Amino acid sequence: QVQLVESGGGLVQTGGSLRLSCAASGGTFSVYVMGWFRQAPGKEREFVAAISERGVNTNYANSVKGRFTISRDGAKNTVYLQMNSLQLEDTAVYYCAAGVGVVTGRTNEITYWGQGTQVTVSS
C-alpha cells in the first residue's frame, strides 16, 4: 500500500503562487506515473497535470498550461505542483494521484489517491 501525503495548500489572492507537495511512502515511487487532479464543490474531479515515472515527460490540462509546473524528486519520493498566476477558477481540493489513470485522465483508473489539500483563491 502506497500512501500519498499532500501539503502546501492554502488561501492566496489572484495572481499569487503556491507549491503543493506530495510525499509517497510504502512502495516504489519510481514505478508510478504521478499527477494531480482537482475537484471543486459540485464538480467532477478533473485532471490537472501528470509526470512520467522518471520525470522525463509531463502533461497538463489546457486550463493550467503555462501557469502550473509539475516535477518529481525520486530521491525524496516527492512530486510537486508549482502553481503560478492563480485564478479564482483554480479554487478546488487538489489530489495527488498515482497510477495509469494519471495518463488516461480517468479517475477510476487511479491506483492511489492522496487525502486532498484545499486551495482557495480569492480576489
Side-chain angles (χ1 to χ4, degrees):
Q1 178 74 30
V2 172
Q3 289 184 276
L4 306 176
V5 180
E6 299 157 330
S7 61
L11 175 65
V12 297
Q13 293 184 343
T14 56
S17 298
L18 284 174
R19 190 177 77 155
L20 305 183
S21 298
C22 174
S25 63
T28 304
F29 178 73
S30 62
V31 306
Y32 293 103
V33 177
M34 301 290 297
W36 295 89
F37 287 71
R38 67 186 182 186
Q39 188 168 23
K43 301 293 185 180
E44 183 177 314
R45 191 170 297 188
E46 65 175 358
F47 169 78
V48 176
I51 188 164
S52 61
E53 292 92 332
R54 299 186 184 277
V56 175
N57 301 114
T58 58
N59 192 34
Y60 300 92
N62 288 334
S63 59
V64 306
K65 193 172 297 183
R67 299 188 297 118
F68 291 10
T69 302
I70 189 170
S71 61
R72 67 192 294 164
D73 186 332
K76 296 181 178 180
N77 293 336
T78 301
V79 63
Y80 304 94
L81 185 68
Q82 178 66 46
M83 305 185 294
N84 298 325
S85 302
L86 284 162
Q87 308 296 316
L88 293 176
E89 57 266 33
D90 295 318
T91 295
V93 177
Y94 283 70
Y95 296 91
C96 183
V100 65
V102 178
V103 176
T104 65
R106 300 189 180 102
T107 59
N108 63 349
E109 294 177 350
I110 296 296
T111 303
Y112 300 106
W113 289 104
Q115 81 285 355
T117 185
Q118 178 71 49
V119 173
T120 302
V121 184
S122 66
S123 60

